[in-house]
Amino acid sequence: MGMRFQAVIRAVAGVGIGLILAGCAEDIGVDQYGRKVAVERLEGQWLVINYWAQWCAPCRTEIPELNTLAAQLSEQSVQVLGVNFDALQGEKLNQAAQDMGIAFTVLAKDPAERYQLPRAEVLPVTYIVDDQGRMRERLLGEQTAAGLTVRLTELKAEG
């Protein structure tokens, strides 16, 4: 009976380690500076996810609005995240983000699958994801900090 008990303990421990490793697999990736973006940083937060490209003129005028929004809502459990539409990586992503004047986090890995976001067909497009990880809104075209703040307030009130 002692050997059987030890086998059960080993099996349970193996499952526990497997779950821990599976949790690590839920990787958000890195930001424009190559720094790891911790899953815990985004959990329980409302997310404003904006897709942009350097060749997109409305994106260029929208970025300062998103910078303002990120600064205004940083203490309110809201994260503004950018995603480069052209899937730039590494130094190219960093340079593009700098050229655009982006002050918020840009994800190198597209989070569309994680948050079940529909494919971006036009730019700019902004998605609002609630604190449970569900997409609540898809906003096409250029957004303002004021307009996004109002929409976030409305969505939070809806629950």
Side-chain angles (χ1 to χ4, degrees):
M1 187 131 164
M3 295 289 274
R4 192 172 188 190
F5 181 73
Q6 287 177 341
V8 168
I9 294 297
R10 275 195 297 272
V12 169
V15 168
I17 290 168
L19 290 174
I20 290 168
L21 292 175
C24 293
E26 281 194 56
D27 187 23
I28 299 294
V30 297
D31 66 11
Q32 67 266 45
Y33 306 109
R35 297 181 304 215
K36 186 177 187 302
V37 178
V39 173
E40 299 78 27
R41 180 176 146 198
L42 304 182
E43 286 178 345
Q45 302 276 314
W46 281 74
L47 306 175
V48 176
I49 303 172
N50 176 263
Y51 285 76
W52 59 273
Q54 288 174 289
W55 46 262
C56 166
C59 297
R60 289 185 173 276
T61 55
E62 183 182 50
I63 295 298
E65 292 288 326
L66 295 169
N67 286 338
T68 299
L69 183 72
Q72 289 173 346
L73 300 182
S74 63
E75 302 298 318
Q76 297 179 31
S77 296
V78 177
Q79 294 275 330
V80 176
L81 302 169
V83 180
N84 178 260
F85 183 78
D86 297 321
L88 297 178
Q89 297 292 308
E91 185 52 38
K92 287 183 179 178
L93 177 61
N94 185 9
Q95 191 59 54
Q98 284 183 33
D99 290 348
M100 296 288 284
I102 296 174
F104 49 88
T105 299
V106 175
L107 299 174
K109 181 179 172 184
D110 188 342
E113 185 178 335
R114 179 184 190 84
Y115 297 112
Q116 298 175 357
L117 306 177
R119 172 137 172 74
E121 302 291 336
V122 297
L123 289 181
V125 62
T126 304
Y127 299 96
I128 298 176
V129 175
D130 69 16
D131 56 356
Q132 302 300 308
R134 295 174 307 204
M135 186 193 83
R136 297 286 295 275
E137 190 91 45
R138 179 184 187 190
L139 303 165
L140 300 176
E142 196 174 326
Q143 304 300 311
T144 64
L148 286 167
T149 300
V150 167
R151 196 63 196 122
L152 278 162
T153 303
E154 291 169 353
L155 289 169
K156 285 181 175 184
E158 290 173 13

